[in-house]
Amino acid sequence: GAAPSQARTWIVMQDGSGDFMDIQSAVDACAVGDSVLVGPGRYQGYHTWQPGDGAPTFDVIVGVDVDSLTIIGVDRETVIIGPDVLNADTTAKIGFGTALATTWTVFRNLTLENIRDRGIHLYPAGRVTDCVFRNIDSGILAERGRNILIEHCEFFSSICDITTYGPEPEYKATIRNCDFTLGGGGVHVTGHPNVEITHCNFIDYLNPIYIGGGSTARIDSC
């Protein structure tokens, strides 16, 4: 029989020394299970993206259509997603968007900042770890929250850092070992039956944790 395909790591370097110079081009080249290793620099160009047939369009920096993709920065202090200043208009923007056809996406070792709307729109499952979110309307939107893990992340000066919802009883979202500093809303849970928030720090927050109707959350060591 045919040999199983091997996952590949595509390298993004703005100086041209990698496979691609921008993240979207690397993602477009990926197959299921591949990884994208992102070199230092600021990645900020928005483009119109339509995730699948009949879906609405979004202004994104990176749109992810391929399943089981991992995007990793070489150093979260130097790999920055978003413009150097927040856009003055009110048009919704997304740093990383994931399509309805995806089932699992991993983001690690990145900084996202100055994005007017969502830093990462995660659907319906995946992991965000060792990332920094700064000055973003909504740092992470975990839509449906089937199997979400957010850990070792830092959030600064956002309107709402993490929003998760998912109506099915087996859905689960875990948020642990994260630091939240100077924001309006930290973790916003609505319509989600199974959320764990553990070992998180909230400093100077108007509304650190909100648990909405139909939600059940376990909060420990925060």
Side-chain angles (χ1 to χ4, degrees):
S5 59
Q6 298 296 313
R8 176 170 178 176
T9 297
W10 301 87
I11 298 175
V12 177
M13 295 293 289
Q14 290 187 340
D15 63 5
S17 62
D19 300 304
F20 297 96
M21 296 176 66
D22 69 277
I23 303 171
Q24 186 66 68
S25 297
V27 168
D28 291 343
C30 286
V32 174
D34 281 359
S35 297
V36 176
L37 181 63
V38 184
R42 182 178 294 275
Y43 301 84
Q44 59 180 316
Y46 290 102
H47 65 280
T48 301
W49 174 64
Q50 185 172 25
D53 295 338
T57 60
F58 299 94
D59 287 340
V60 301
I61 296 176
V62 181
V64 177
D65 288 292
V66 63
D67 201 7
S68 300
L69 180 68
T70 298
I71 299 177
I72 308 171
V74 295
D75 172 18
R76 77 177 190 179
E77 302 303 322
T78 61
V79 180
I80 303 172
I81 314 301
D84 54 357
V85 295
L86 185 64
N87 196 321
D89 68 38
T90 58
T91 304
K93 309 288 186 185
I94 299 175
F96 290 101
T98 55
L100 300 183
T102 62
T103 62
W104 179 258
T105 314
V106 175
F107 300 92
R108 187 166 79 238
N109 230 30
L110 304 161
T111 289
L112 295 94
E113 66 181 15
N114 300 323
I115 297 173
R116 177 74 70 188
D117 201 349
R118 285 157 278 179
I120 295 177
H121 187 154
L122 193 58
Y123 181 99
R127 176 178 295 175
V128 183
T129 182
D130 292 301
C131 290
V132 175
F133 298 82
R134 185 182 296 111
N135 201 24
I136 300 174
D137 287 1
S138 180
I140 301 171
L141 172 60
E143 185 174 357
R144 299 193 68 80
R146 182 180 299 165
N147 181 11
I148 301 293
L149 174 60
I150 301 168
E151 62 180 350
H152 301 294
C153 291
E154 297 181 24
F155 298 84
F156 300 92
S157 303
S158 297
I159 294 174
C160 188
D161 293 309
I162 300 173
T163 301
T164 181
Y165 61 94
E168 303 300 326
E170 68 273 17
Y171 287 6
K172 182 177 181 179
T174 301
I175 301 162
R176 65 192 184 199
N177 298 301
C178 292
D179 292 331
F180 301 80
T181 304
L182 194 62
V187 179
H188 185 111
V189 181
T190 178
H192 201 298
N194 190 6
V195 176
E196 294 184 358
I197 306 168
T198 63
H199 296 92
C200 291
N201 298 311
F202 298 87
I203 302 171
D204 290 338
Y205 258 78
L206 180 66
N207 189 3
I209 299 174
Y210 170 82
I211 309 299
S215 301
T216 302
R218 182 175 73 88
I219 304 168
D220 182 46
S221 300
C222 291

